Amino acid sequence: MKLSRRLVPDVTTLQAFECAARHGSFTQAAAELNLTQSAVSRQIKDLETQLGVLLFERVRQRVILSEAGQKFLPEVRRLLSQTEELMVRAMASARADSSLSIASLPTFGSRWLVPRLPDFLRRHPGTVVNIASRSEPFDFEEQNFDLAIHYGQPVWARATCSYLCSEIIVPVASPPLFAANPVATPEDLGARPLLQLATRPKLWAQWFEANGIDSQGAYRGNRFDQFSMVIEAATAGLGFALLPRYLIEQELTAGTLRIVLDRPMQTENSYYLAIPEGKLENPISHAFREWITEQVG
């Protein structure tokens, strides 16, 4: 695709705009960028001329974003962030034989994937990996990842989803909390302090219903938005938690958490590996898919 140079702004000009917008001052922007105030003013003027809109309005001793400037700023910040990320990735992989960018669910990445990565890198020496947390599906055309770990249904726009594994959750607690609040039946948990995962608010209700228990009190308790936080809260004795067993292997082995009832439940969704359509034949992506399928098998 041939780009029109007239429509491609200079990155330094966009930096000047973002900086001036953040400070509400051309003078402070100039100080941060190590430029003169007139240089920043000229860059903003050139950008306004190129766009054909006024980006700032002068109010007393400050400059404030116009309506057009307010709409333009988030896109500029996104572009600058992507540009910086592109350069960092290029520098990191400059001497590597291959590189692999992975978008992973936060706790899955830190608790399951990263501890196993040495085996993958041993099998594929010279490979550099870049792992970033993503909790929801995104547009692969806007975010340059080679693949993503996805929990849900096998649906992702312009990508192919390969099944990895189902998810089995178990009720757990710290040994001191269990000793003070013993549990012998599912009914007992109805009167115990519960820990909630904000992104899956029905988890306890589904578990109670699967065990034939009234789920009326299933929504009470402290709430956290990541499995990693729920794990730490459970370990600290804040309550009973429903957690995927694969995420708490270390705690179960160390004895800082224990399964309080042998009542596992398979959740309604599963884990998938999503690969964008344009990268299905990427050799290192293919190698990773084979490797991770072997790991979860």
Side-chain angles (χ1 to χ4, degrees):
M1 180 179 66
K2 184 177 180 180
L3 298 176
S4 172
R5 297 190 64 177
R6 184 178 64 83
L7 297 177
V8 180
D10 189 278
V11 171
T12 57
T13 299
L14 295 181
Q15 288 176 316
F17 166 72
E18 190 281 329
C19 196
R22 182 159 32 87
H23 288 291
S25 167
F26 289 176
T27 301
Q28 292 182 36
E32 179 177 322
L33 297 171
N34 197 27
L35 298 171
T36 63
Q37 191 271 349
S38 60
V40 170
S41 181
R42 184 169 60 255
Q43 287 178 317
I44 299 300
K45 182 65 176 177
D46 290 345
L47 185 58
E48 290 177 329
T49 300
Q50 185 178 15
L51 295 172
V53 296
L54 189 69
L55 296 173
F56 289 96
E57 297 174 355
R58 287 173 173 78
V59 179
R60 298 184 179 88
Q61 301 300 314
R62 293 180 60 81
V63 290
I64 63 173
L65 286 171
S66 65
E67 183 177 348
Q70 292 175 16
K71 293 178 180 178
F72 191 47
L73 180 60
E75 296 300 320
V76 168
R77 284 177 171 160
R78 181 175 63 84
L79 180 60
L80 290 174
S81 177
Q82 288 178 340
T83 301
E84 181 181 47
E85 184 178 353
L86 173 65
M87 291 301 295
V88 169
R89 287 186 184 183
M91 293 167 66
S93 60
R95 298 184 179 180
D97 295 333
S98 60
S99 62
L100 184 67
S101 293
I102 305 169
S104 174
L105 299 162
T107 310
F108 182 97
S110 62
R111 291 236 159 197
W112 190 90
L113 179 58
V114 171
R116 289 168 171 79
L117 266 184
D119 179 68
F120 176 76
L121 295 176
R122 179 183 57 79
R123 300 188 194 186
H124 302 277
T127 299
V128 171
V129 297
N130 168 62
I131 301 179
S133 295
R134 295 292 185 275
S135 298
E136 300 291 339
F138 53 85
D139 190 340
F140 275 111
E141 293 185 356
E142 293 185 358
Q143 301 190 43
N144 188 28
F145 288 99
D146 297 307
L147 49 87
I149 309 296
H150 169 53
Y151 173 80
Q153 296 298 310
V155 178
W156 195 306
R158 293 183 293 278
T160 297
C161 291
S162 301
Y163 175 81
L164 290 178
C165 61
S166 60
E167 181 183 67
I168 306 296
I169 58 171
V170 291
V172 301
S174 68
L177 180 66
F178 181 76
N181 300 269
V183 171
T185 67
E187 288 86 350
D188 292 338
L189 279 171
R192 301 294 184 263
L194 304 180
L195 299 176
Q196 305 286 347
L197 180 64
T199 53
R200 301 198 207 170
K202 298 180 180 180
L203 207 55
W204 270 112
Q206 292 167 346
W207 186 86
F208 280 125
E209 290 170 3
N211 285 279
I213 308 301
D214 181 13
S215 62
Q216 185 175 358
Y219 298 94
R220 58 186 172 74
N222 296 312
R223 195 169 302 272
F224 306 87
D225 75 346
Q226 298 283 346
F227 265 135
S228 57
M229 294 184 184
V230 177
I231 294 170
E232 293 300 324
T235 303
L238 293 182
F240 291 77
L242 282 174
L243 292 168
R245 183 161 187 156
Y246 77 90
L247 290 181
I248 53 173
E249 293 170 344
Q250 295 179 2
E251 285 76 12
L252 293 177
T253 300
T256 54
L257 286 178
R258 60 164 294 173
I259 297 174
V260 299
L261 284 174
D262 186 20
R263 297 294 183 95
M265 182 184 78
Q266 181 172 324
T267 56
E268 58 187 357
N269 292 317
S270 298
Y271 290 90
Y272 298 88
L273 188 68
I275 301 180
E277 294 172 348
K279 298 184 178 180
L280 289 172
E281 303 305 319
N282 183 344
I284 194 65
S285 295
H286 182 72
F288 184 84
R289 179 172 59 185
E290 290 189 340
W291 173 81
I292 195 171
T293 302
E294 173 190 317
Q295 295 295 309
V296 299

